[in-house]
Amino acid sequence: MSVFDKIAPSAADIEAAAKRMAGVAVRTPLINAPVLDERVGARVFLKAETLQRTGSFKFRGAYNRISSIPPERRSAGVVAYSSGNHAQGVAAAARLLGMRATIVMPSDAPRLKRERTLALGAEIVPYDRNTEDRAAIAARLVAARGATLVPPYDDPLIIAGQGTIGREIVEDLGQLLLEPEIVVVGASGGGLAAGISLGVKLRVPSAKFYTVEPEGFDDTLRSFASGKREANARMSGTICDALMTNTPGELTFPINRELIGAGLTASDTQVAAAVRFAFEELKLVVEPGGAIGLAALLAGSLDVKGKVVVAILSGGNVDADLFAKLIS
Amino acid sequence: MSVFDKIAPSAADIEAAAKRMAGVAVRTPLINAPVLDERVGARVFLKAETLQRTGSFKFRGAYNRISSIPPERRSAGVVAYSSGNHAQGVAAAARLLGMRATIVMPSDAPRLKRERTLALGAEIVPYDRNTEDRAAIAARLVAARGATLVPPYDDPLIIAGQGTIGREIVEDLGQLLLEPEIVVVGASGGGLAAGISLGVKLRVPSAKFYTVEPEGFDDTLRSFASGKREANARMSGTICDALMTNTPGELTFPINRELIGAGLTASDTQVAAAVRFAFEELKLVVEPGGAIGLAALLAGSLDVKGKVVVAILSGGNVDADLFAKLIS
């Protein structure tokens, strides 16, 4: 590996994250379903981060970051901005570590995500996704309180935390004497993609990765093409509420460009079909943004015939009303 | 063990079943969720048979039974009666083995279960649950075609197939250096309860089992009390459509009386709360009958404080309309 050797987390960073998380994070199962294999024509494995603490992968990075805060800085608490899954991850990690958490959250975040964040003991500061800058609001809170900012993705400890998912995928496939050949992963800020691609490719360099983004929110795909960080035209307007970050991360993008470099998109219709498939055939609750990798496989957007394929079910925090609509 | 040594499957029968099923049945994960542990005050493990082929445990027994049919009898096919989950298990197993399957199914069976059975290539013969005798209809079909009857529970090979679940529970807990202390399992005909209690107690005799039945359909509980096979007053009227068998099995009852002997009930309200909890907190789709063990734990019907507790999520085949109603 090359340019990003200086910035990307190392294998040792991911090992350290796995140690910190042992007995705290759930070692989520890698699920295989014959009905999905037959449908896709490949050996498909689903990394069910829906079953992670707080219902999404975000707990991993948050816990790795927050548990690394030095003791003398812990009483001032943590601040984060998030549309919902990172919020819950930060709130849960802070509570486990006895710290105060404040979350800057869009006022149109799904009700369930808001309620679950509050239930985890965090304070919520709402903002308008279309007119206000969440990073600026968070920065003011950090300055006023001396708190620690927990960024959603652009942080080596966050990326290393998500990297433990890649490590587990390689280990669990190894038990079956398999190696991942193709991995599809949703991309928003790119922390999950960067972490997993590092975690997998440090052990299995031949694994081929694809990011998947909602149609109209394909900043990562266009950034791969242009070689620089492109932005989305819109700030809202997909059922994938978890995948609306405006542009790839400063730290995550160079990692993802080097390790992944190939992107796909999925339409809301394809995502809805994947959520419905997961309900009917897999008996798993997956939120739209969490099902986008599965959506790309079911839509046949990629030739995976005969391969060992991994898709990340990154979260399951979906409002009951929306879920009922999607499965009917 | 005693009287039932002559009738109950042995440890060798369960091992043989596990061998037959290897690479065919899904080795379902044993799921632990911190949010559930905190809620119940115990270390709770959920055996997610919802993730089994066909969405319920029934595939195991069906495959073990049907794959044991001698070659010369296979062309005449199999016949089964079932409200839905056994139907799918039999249909899927028969298809994998290249055999014809005919299912006698109540005309009020959930639509999803009927459709999924048809999609697996089986023929369905409908009957009226309140006025017709499904066993008699099946017997006529068997006689007319020379087919093999695949009973839903009263068969040593069916029980041994479900027993592989108990074997996996003990193995997976062993990986964590734990042993099951309390196991709660739904009961209808009693095949799952008999299989799992055998599979577990042949290895961990100290494990304590409880059956759970819907209120008003507690034939097993009353049979434990009276020492003989009691019947339910009603043939329909619970949301647990999978748990309406009228009376404990002739073969399963003596096994369950000896190995379990203690029963609980759960109300439809408690079951609905468990289905909702599984959706919101665990991100799992569980059908009402499949959630009845979890329902008993969440309702606090049993003192499990500090124990290693296993509940079986036995199936996830629930109509989208009903599921939407239950989670809202």
Side-chain angles (χ1 to χ4, degrees):
Chain A
M1 306 188 186
S2 60
V3 285
F4 69 92
D5 274 356
K6 288 178 207 112
I7 55 163
S10 66
D13 294 332
I14 295 175
E15 286 309 302
K19 277 217 179 67
R20 274 184 212 111
M21 262 177 253
V24 182
V26 173
R27 199 185 203 292
T28 56
L30 193 62
I31 292 173
N32 172 246
V35 65
L36 178 58
D37 286 2
E38 283 161 30
R39 169 78 179 266
V40 174
R43 296 190 67 172
V44 183
F45 294 87
L46 301 169
K47 182 62 170 169
E49 283 298 296
T50 50
L51 308 182
Q52 186 52 266
R53 253 187 212 269
T54 73
S56 96
F57 73 97
K58 288 284 192 178
F59 175 77
R60 296 187 188 242
Y63 188 83
N64 193 43
R65 178 70 188 83
I66 298 174
S67 64
S68 304
I69 295 173
E72 68 275 14
R73 298 209 47 199
R74 292 197 178 185
S75 64
V78 293
V79 171
Y81 42 88
S82 162
S83 68
N85 282 335
H86 181 54
Q88 291 172 69
V90 168
R95 191 170 71 161
L96 281 167
L97 294 159
M99 294 169 67
R100 175 183 177 191
T102 306
I103 313 291
V104 182
M105 190 181 277
S107 43
D108 65 345
R111 189 171 54 85
L112 182 74
K113 290 181 174 175
R114 205 166 57 237
E115 285 173 3
R116 287 169 59 92
T117 303
L118 289 171
L120 288 163
E123 179 195 348
I124 291 181
V125 176
Y127 78 99
D128 183 324
R129 197 195 283 270
N130 292 295
T131 61
E132 292 185 277
D133 178 359
R134 64 185 190 172
I137 299 169
R140 280 199 298 276
L141 287 165
V142 164
R145 296 179 182 173
T148 302
L149 181 73
V150 184
Y153 45 86
D154 251 347
D155 182 294
L157 285 161
I158 298 283
I159 295 171
Q162 326 305 25
T164 58
I165 300 169
R167 184 179 173 275
E168 292 173 12
I169 289 168
V170 174
E171 280 184 3
D172 287 2
L173 285 178
Q175 294 277 323
L176 305 172
L177 308 179
L178 297 174
E179 282 191 344
E181 293 177 285
I182 294 175
V183 182
V184 288
V185 54
S188 186
L192 177 64
I196 297 192
S197 59
L198 274 166
V200 167
K201 297 187 85 160
L202 285 165
R203 294 175 175 225
V204 184
S206 60
K208 177 94 187 96
F209 273 70
Y210 296 87
T211 56
V212 192
E213 293 169 290
E215 275 181 7
F217 296 81
D218 58 351
D219 50 301
T220 300
L221 173 68
R222 287 181 292 107
S223 302
F224 285 155
S226 73
K228 61 186 176 51
R229 295 159 62 215
E230 305 288 347
N232 293 323
R234 287 181 294 160
M235 303 291 275
S236 62
T238 161
I239 57 168
C240 300
D241 61 272
L243 302 180
M244 291 195 284
T245 300
N246 189 239
T247 184
E250 207 175 319
L251 179 52
T252 56
F253 179 60
I255 299 173
N256 289 335
R257 186 179 44 181
E258 175 132 351
L259 294 186
I260 302 181
L264 305 166
T265 61
S267 68
D268 275 7
T269 306
Q270 290 169 337
V271 168
V275 171
R276 197 162 50 246
F277 182 90
F279 166 75
E280 285 178 0
E281 299 291 345
L282 308 176
K283 315 303 179 191
L284 295 172
V285 177
V286 190
E287 64 179 279
I292 199 166
L294 177 62
L297 294 181
L298 290 173
S301 307
L302 198 61
D303 179 14
V304 296
K305 289 279 174 263
K307 305 277 192 199
V308 176
V309 184
V310 179
I312 318 299
L313 302 180
S314 50
N317 291 314
V318 52
D319 281 356
D321 291 354
L322 174 60
F323 194 74
K325 220 177 80 184
L326 292 174
I327 63 175
S328 68
Chain B
M1 306 191 183
S2 60
V3 284
F4 69 92
D5 274 354
K6 288 178 207 107
I7 56 163
S10 65
D13 293 331
I14 295 175
E15 286 309 303
K19 278 218 180 66
R20 272 182 212 114
M21 263 177 251
V24 182
V26 174
R27 197 185 203 292
T28 56
L30 192 63
I31 293 173
N32 173 245
V35 66
L36 178 58
D37 286 3
E38 284 161 29
R39 169 78 179 267
V40 174
R43 296 191 68 171
V44 183
F45 294 87
L46 301 170
K47 182 62 169 169
E49 283 297 298
T50 50
L51 308 182
Q52 186 52 266
R53 253 187 214 269
T54 72
S56 96
F57 73 96
K58 288 284 192 179
F59 175 77
R60 296 185 188 244
Y63 188 84
N64 193 44
R65 178 68 189 84
I66 297 174
S67 65
S68 304
I69 295 173
E72 69 275 13
R73 298 210 46 201
R74 291 196 177 186
S75 63
V78 293
V79 171
Y81 42 88
S82 163
S83 67
N85 282 334
H86 180 55
Q88 291 172 69
V90 167
R95 192 170 68 162
L96 281 167
L97 294 160
M99 294 169 67
R100 174 182 178 191
T102 306
I103 314 292
V104 182
M105 190 181 278
S107 42
D108 65 346
R111 188 171 54 86
L112 182 75
K113 290 180 174 175
R114 204 167 57 237
E115 284 173 3
R116 287 169 58 92
T117 303
L118 289 172
L120 287 163
E123 177 195 352
I124 291 181
V125 176
Y127 77 98
D128 183 325
R129 198 195 283 271
N130 293 295
T131 61
E132 292 184 278
D133 178 357
R134 64 185 191 173
I137 299 170
R140 280 199 299 275
L141 286 165
V142 163
R145 296 178 183 175
T148 302
L149 181 73
V150 184
Y153 45 85
D154 252 347
D155 181 295
L157 285 161
I158 298 283
I159 295 171
Q162 327 304 24
T164 59
I165 300 170
R167 182 179 174 277
E168 292 173 13
I169 289 169
V170 174
E171 280 185 1
D172 287 2
L173 285 178
Q175 294 278 322
L176 306 172
L177 308 178
L178 296 174
E179 282 190 343
E181 293 177 284
I182 294 176
V183 182
V184 288
V185 53
S188 186
L192 176 64
I196 297 193
S197 60
L198 273 167
V200 167
K201 297 188 85 159
L202 284 165
R203 294 177 174 221
V204 184
S206 60
K208 176 95 187 95
F209 273 70
Y210 296 86
T211 55
V212 192
E213 294 169 288
E215 276 181 6
F217 297 81
D218 58 350
D219 50 301
T220 300
L221 173 68
R222 288 181 290 108
S223 301
F224 285 155
S226 74
K228 60 184 178 51
R229 296 161 60 217
E230 304 289 346
N232 293 323
R234 288 181 293 160
M235 302 292 274
S236 61
T238 161
I239 57 170
C240 301
D241 61 272
L243 302 180
M244 291 194 284
T245 300
N246 189 241
T247 185
E250 205 175 322
L251 179 53
T252 56
F253 179 61
I255 298 173
N256 290 334
R257 186 177 47 181
E258 175 132 350
L259 293 186
I260 303 181
L264 305 166
T265 62
S267 68
D268 275 5
T269 306
Q270 290 170 337
V271 168
V275 171
R276 196 161 52 246
F277 182 90
F279 166 75
E280 285 178 0
E281 299 291 345
L282 308 176
K283 314 305 178 188
L284 296 172
V285 177
V286 190
E287 64 180 278
I292 200 166
L294 177 62
L297 294 181
L298 290 172
S301 308
L302 199 60
D303 179 13
V304 296
K305 289 278 173 263
K307 304 278 193 199
V308 176
V309 184
V310 179
I312 317 301
L313 303 180
S314 50
N317 291 314
V318 51
D319 281 355
D321 291 354
L322 174 60
F323 194 73
K325 220 177 80 184
L326 293 174
I327 64 175
S328 68

